[in-house]
Amino acid sequence: MPRNDNKMKNSQLYKGSLNTIIMKLLEENGKMYGYEITQKVKAITLGELQITEGALYPALHKLEAEGLLDVEVEKVDNRLRKYYKLTESGTKETLNRLAELEDFIRNMQSLVNPKLEF
Amino acid sequence: MKLTPAQIDQLYTFTKQHYVEYYDLQTELVDHLANAIELEWESNPTLSFETLLNKEFKKFGVFGFMDVVEEKQKAMNKKYNNWVWNHFKAFFKLPKIIGTLLSVLLLFHMMKSITISHEVASLLTLIILISLWAGLIRMNKKRIKTAKEEGKKWLLKDIIYGYSSMAGMSYLPFQIVLHFENHPNQIMLFFMSLFIVSMLIVEYIILFEIPSKAQEYLEKTYPEYKVSNQ
């Protein structure tokens, strides 16, 4: 199926999952900084999915305000770098959200591609 | 190729020029832009710093950093409101609830014994609101002074010291006072007492409790607060 990359990165379908994507990455990698997250997503999806900067930081700040993320700052090269990591409640919430997302994917799959033999 | 300290300063200036006035957000965006520029340089070492900066800035969309700034403000206000709420809840748990209940009952009995309870309640509400405003204005003046001395602005610090809570805080109590009945029955009187005591508690939290813990809260929210003030 031909895919339009430009459209994909702005797709509404992904917007709803952005928080879950961020939390999943933090769960796997411990602490990460903003730019690292954008690069990681790009690398994993082979460039097909690009998190826009204008969406990433608001999502991170919101998760932080909700108490799901904690921040750390380190001096790297000649500048300060802000790292994000999951809090205890953030780790629990990640599991919930992943389960929810997996359910969603499964349901979508059966709706889009119904297996008639069932 | 790594960015020089002068270029990092240039990035700070760039964020300021694009309406990011808070240091915490500036720092995060500066690191982001710096990372992006450094990575680009690996594949295009001939491109200039300015060209790459503009290219990266465009990725933030037509509104530039505005969305990020706006959302950050919302997130921080939410954080602050959560603190107020958590402090408030503590007044309705042991041991503080004893004092809270005694104050409510005392006010209730006082209002029960007078005929102008409605007027007294309105007056008390007004006094609390005016003193809250006065306290916020005083804190705000102090904040502006220290911000000038420090040369850096912190969003959450501005919120704690009276920047954004004013407008939202005053509308609701006025509406509630307008709905106080002229000849309240006992239940109504009890709720009026509870409301006045609650307002007093909120005022105390905003003007004293949270500011007294500001350092702790700020350091927790902004690890760079400590680093950059060293």
Side-chain angles (χ1 to χ4, degrees), chain B residues 26-222:
Chain B
Q26 287 170 359
T27 301
E28 190 162 39
L29 292 171
V30 164
D31 185 47
H32 182 97
L33 294 169
N35 286 323
I37 292 171
E38 284 174 354
L39 192 75
E40 271 289 321
W41 261 341
E42 280 175 22
S43 42
N44 289 312
T46 50
L47 289 176
S48 76
F49 171 75
E50 283 76 16
T51 312
L52 288 176
L53 172 55
N54 281 323
K55 189 180 159 198
E56 286 309 319
F57 181 58
K58 281 206 181 96
K59 289 189 187 165
F60 279 84
V62 278
F63 296 112
F65 301 135
M66 298 288 260
D67 285 341
V68 181
V69 171
E70 212 172 282
E71 292 298 321
K72 176 89 182 177
Q73 260 159 359
K74 272 191 218 159
M76 284 294 157
N77 274 322
K78 194 173 172 185
K79 198 166 185 150
Y80 176 78
N81 292 341
N82 274 341
W83 289 340
V84 175
W85 177 234
N86 283 336
H87 278 265
F88 186 74
K89 277 194 292 191
F91 280 87
F92 290 86
K93 283 179 193 155
L94 280 169
K96 282 184 176 164
I97 191 169
I98 300 168
T100 310
L101 273 181
L102 281 178
S103 315
V104 174
L105 289 175
L106 195 74
L107 188 63
F108 172 65
H109 277 286
M110 193 197 88
M111 295 225 283
K112 213 168 63 172
S113 59
I114 51 175
T115 47
I116 49 163
S117 57
H118 172 253
E119 286 79 3
V120 171
S122 307
L123 188 68
L124 282 175
T125 307
L126 202 66
I127 291 172
I128 292 171
L129 279 179
I130 290 174
S131 61
L132 177 64
W133 289 338
L136 284 173
I137 291 169
R138 192 176 51 86
M139 282 206 304
N140 210 25
K141 272 189 186 155
K142 219 166 103 189
R143 169 183 73 80
I144 293 169
K145 209 178 139 212
T146 52
K148 261 189 194 153
E149 283 162 10
E150 279 176 8
K152 286 173 194 151
K153 284 183 84 179
W154 305 86
L155 178 53
L156 203 58
K157 203 172 183 179
D158 279 9
I159 294 174
I160 291 176
Y161 293 109
Y163 156 72
S164 71
S165 22
M166 275 174 94
M169 285 307 301
S170 39
Y171 179 74
L172 190 66
F174 272 126
Q175 283 300 314
I176 293 176
V177 167
L178 287 178
H179 286 89
F180 279 173
E181 283 169 27
N182 264 332
H183 300 287
N185 61 21
Q186 295 234 347
I187 297 171
M188 188 66 189
L189 260 184
F190 179 78
F191 278 109
M192 279 157 76
S193 312
L194 183 65
F195 169 73
I196 290 169
V197 171
S198 299
M199 277 219 321
L200 207 59
I201 291 172
V202 172
E203 177 177 2
Y204 174 73
I205 292 168
I206 291 176
L207 293 184
F208 301 102
E209 269 201 356
I210 292 184
S212 74
K213 284 192 163 180
Q215 194 68 14
E216 185 190 318
Y217 278 144
L218 285 168
E219 279 173 16
K220 175 129 184 41
T221 312
Y222 302 132

Side-chain angles (χ1 to χ4, degrees), chain A residues 53 57 61 78-79 81 84, chain B residues 3 28 31-32 35 38 75:
Chain A
E53 286 76 0
Y57 288 102
H61 300 151
N78 41 28
R79 55 184 185 257
R81 179 163 295 163
Y84 292 87
Chain B
L3 260 65
E28 190 162 39
D31 185 47
H32 182 97
N35 286 323
E38 284 174 354

